[in-house]
Amino acid sequence: MTNVSDIRIAIVDDEPSIVTMLQMVLRREGFHQLYAASTCAEALDLAAKVSPDIVLLDIMLPDGSGLELCSKLREYGNPHILFLTAKASDLDVLRGFAMGGDDYITKPFNPLEVAARIQARIRRLEPEVPAAGPGKRLEPGIYRFSRFTVNEAEGELIVEGQPVPCPAQEFQLLLHFCKFPGVVFSKTQLYDKVWGINGQGDDSTVMVHIRRIRERIEIDPGNPKQLLTVRGLGYKLVKETQER
């Protein structure tokens, strides 16, 4: 089981009151490796030194945009990036996900919700005991489909024999579908199972992640053949696993 005291969290925000509030709440939840930065430059320097597991990232920083910083942080590992921002329009949310963000909370926010989402993220990283059923393989943690393979243990997506970068939250969503091919999941169920936030989220979050997964695994993302939309119900991954 993951020890929360081992999780490295970077808070990148230029408002000292927000940083202090988050640090106080996260310490109460058992997180001790907390780091802070108030600019893009400080954040990059921090990422190079400690390689954080989770980054709480403001979009509007004194020396640049958190959106652009997001992709640069990926050079220092694959942290779970949660945007904290006052920019709350649908376009802002979509841009945040397009730039590689995994989650999005608008200001003002309840710091306990931030802590809950971090805890949910950690639970998603816990190894699951394999069970019999659709999508299980002879090789533990490896899910093979006609065009792609997902290696759970190594956090790797292989498409037509080539490794394809896949941000953490997209990988977890695709992995969930791989474990239950042919099963239709509503957006609410996906929030609960993948994000771990009991269905609390807007439709655009799931939609953007689905679109980005399709761009990685489909021949024609605009006409998907593997990750399908079931009108009025949700989404499903076509059941065509190839066990070896």
Side-chain angles (χ1 to χ4, degrees):
M1 179 177 293
T2 302
N3 190 335
V4 296
S5 64
D6 295 330
I7 301 296
R8 300 178 297 276
I9 301 176
I11 304 171
V12 184
D13 199 302
D14 63 335
E15 296 185 49
S17 60
I18 289 180
V19 174
T20 300
M21 175 181 63
L22 286 170
Q23 288 177 330
M24 180 179 66
V25 171
L26 291 173
R27 285 195 183 99
R28 288 177 179 173
E29 295 295 318
F31 297 98
H32 300 301
Q33 297 194 54
L34 304 176
Y35 307 88
S38 60
T39 67
C40 294
E42 289 179 4
L44 288 174
D45 183 58
L46 179 62
K49 291 178 179 178
V50 305
S51 186
D53 301 297
I54 294 171
V55 179
L56 306 180
L57 179 58
D58 188 17
I59 285 183
M60 295 182 288
L61 295 168
D63 59 342
S65 168
L67 293 174
E68 296 177 358
L69 176 62
C70 179
S71 59
K72 295 179 182 178
L73 290 173
R74 297 289 186 198
E75 298 175 9
Y76 300 96
N78 191 25
H80 180 80
I81 296 178
L82 194 161
F83 283 117
L84 303 175
T85 178
K87 300 171 73 66
S89 73
D90 289 344
L91 179 59
D92 291 323
V93 174
L94 293 174
R95 287 185 63 201
F97 288 129
M99 295 300 289
D102 297 301
D103 207 346
Y104 201 105
I105 294 181
T106 56
K107 298 178 180 179
F109 56 83
N110 185 335
L112 292 175
E113 180 184 356
V114 177
R117 294 201 184 196
I118 292 174
Q119 294 280 11
R121 170 61 185 164
I122 294 172
R123 290 195 297 272
R124 301 280 80 74
L125 295 176
E126 297 290 351
E128 295 184 8
V129 178
K136 297 306 172 185
R137 311 73 45 218
L138 296 179
E139 300 166 85
I142 297 178
Y143 300 82
R144 288 191 174 90
F145 291 76
S146 60
R147 190 166 185 266
F148 69 92
T149 298
V150 171
N151 187 320
E152 181 177 10
E154 297 184 9
E156 189 174 48
L157 170 63
I158 304 293
V159 181
E160 294 189 332
Q162 298 297 319
V164 174
C166 191
Q169 202 65 46
E170 289 176 43
F171 185 85
Q172 292 298 323
L173 180 58
L174 176 57
L175 178 62
H176 181 70
F177 280 116
C178 289
K179 290 180 177 181
F180 303 97
V183 178
V184 178
F185 291 98
S186 68
K187 292 173 184 175
T188 298
Q189 289 173 321
L190 292 173
Y191 273 119
D192 182 35
K193 299 297 184 181
V194 181
W195 276 264
I197 54 177
N198 298 319
Q200 298 174 7
D202 57 78
D203 288 352
S204 63
T205 299
V206 171
M207 292 171 62
V208 170
H209 281 72
I210 292 291
R211 175 174 59 79
R212 288 168 60 181
I213 289 174
R214 285 171 172 164
E215 290 172 352
R216 301 178 197 282
I217 69 171
E218 298 280 0
I219 295 175
D220 179 4
N223 184 29
K225 301 298 183 183
Q226 295 187 291
L227 184 51
L228 306 181
T229 299
V230 181
R231 191 175 299 276
L233 296 177
Y235 304 93
K236 72 173 181 179
L237 186 66
V238 173
K239 186 178 179 180
E240 39 116 324
T241 49
Q242 299 177 347
E243 294 188 346
R244 298 179 182 178

